[in-house]
Amino acid sequence: MSSLPTTLAGWLAHCERLHPTEIEMTLDRVRTVKERLGLRFDCPVISVAGTNGKGSTCAMLDSIARAAGYRVGLFSKPHLVHFEERCRVDGEMVSGESLVEHFAAVEAARGDVSLTYFEFTLLAIARRLIAAQPELVILEVGLGGRLDAVNAFDADVSVITSIDIDHVAFLGPDRESIGREKAGILRAGRPAIVSDPVPPASVLRAAEALGADLWLMGRDYNQQGDRQQWSWSGRGRRYHALGHPALRGANQLLNASGAIAALEALRDRLPINAQALRVGLATVELPGRFQIVPGQPALVLDVAHNDQSVAALALNLDQMGFFPRTRAVFGAMHDKDLAAVVARLAPLVDAWHLTDLPLPRAARAADLAAVVRQVRADVPAQTHPDPAAALAAALEASDPADRIVVFGSFLTVGGVLKDGVPRLSAPHKG
């Protein structure tokens, strides 16, 4: 037998070789190895599923709980630049070196069980989080819910964010079937926070059949406010004069409301006061979610890649004010509804820079350009080998007063962040 890897990069390469497919929907493998490892969180666990808003909700939960003085472990995916972003303790991503022993432990425990990349890495990260002895663990569910590897861990509180059409080959063709999969994270008798204001009926039926403690937006908790401040009210508790979350975007109050409801549901075990809420919301950070980078031209980074999230991006861009021209850098997976995504943003875009991405599932830049031409034949569309090259070309064509929007896959946004946050400076073209 060849020697085992000694670095994180080596272990990640090992995980990629281990299983014949990237995604295989079942919990059997991950549960088997989890039991062999004896993995168990000795603190409250919040699991967050949904199509859009999961990352923002997890970031707010983490920021608020840390502001209240709790030691928090966070698992999220995918990462933008560094794999270690997936595992955070007290707001900081852990070192790659600290993960190596946990990958080795998973390898020793799995025996002849062939884990997927996501299953293997989740188990290693869970073991690392347990070693940190957190007081709260937040788990971001990956694809779906019912058969996602995260669902091998029982959550004390489950959160389901907004649901839209995505991953139809695995989750089904409509919101009802997708909602049914997301509802797989709910547990009998435990709080189930639904922050989608119009949830699929399948989610409500699943919660009722389980006997989950269902918290619905508009029934069990509410939010209201204006551009300056907002308030939250729930089961016997109110918070007034809250500042808006530091994360920009029209949907962030829905995400913040769901996060507050989840923490309220844990009040007996993890009390949170109003000051922690205010500080947590004011200081929350999450790169790539309507992230505006000041410069000339202005730069907007957003991992929106399905119809619902791109619709929100279009609304947010429309509210930014006037820019003479907007150029879009776009790369995405081929299984997305690419025509719908392009059509959402097309009225705001004066030129497209389409990029290849380093993944077999990615749409080729040439195919994306063909989609753009079908939607708007009168708008220029260039192709590029990678996101950095696409951004460089967009910058070269821009005036200082213009705007560049980089959106789509995590690999697209991550591709322009790999050397740090770009600070753009275009010459005046006279």
Side-chain angles (χ1 to χ4, degrees), residues 9 14 46 54 68 107 127 129 145 151 184 193 201 221 266 296 301 324 342 350 375 409 421 423:
H14 174 74
I46 301 175
K54 290 181 299 186
E107 176 69 13
R127 195 172 186 272
L129 290 177
N151 204 31
I193 316 299
Y221 67 100
L266 281 174
Q296 294 184 320
L301 307 173
V342 169
D350 300 290
V375 175
S409 165
V421 178
R423 302 289 177 177

Side-chain angles (χ1 to χ4, degrees), residues 192-211:
I193 316 299
V194 179
S195 57
D196 188 322
V198 189
S202 57
V203 173
L204 310 185
R205 284 195 299 269
E208 183 180 1
L210 265 177

Side-chain angles (χ1 to χ4, degrees), residues 120-137:
F120 200 120
T121 56
L122 167 68
L123 290 169
I125 288 172
R127 195 172 186 272
R128 172 67 177 84
L129 290 177
I130 289 167
Q133 297 183 305
E135 295 165 286
L136 172 67
V137 164

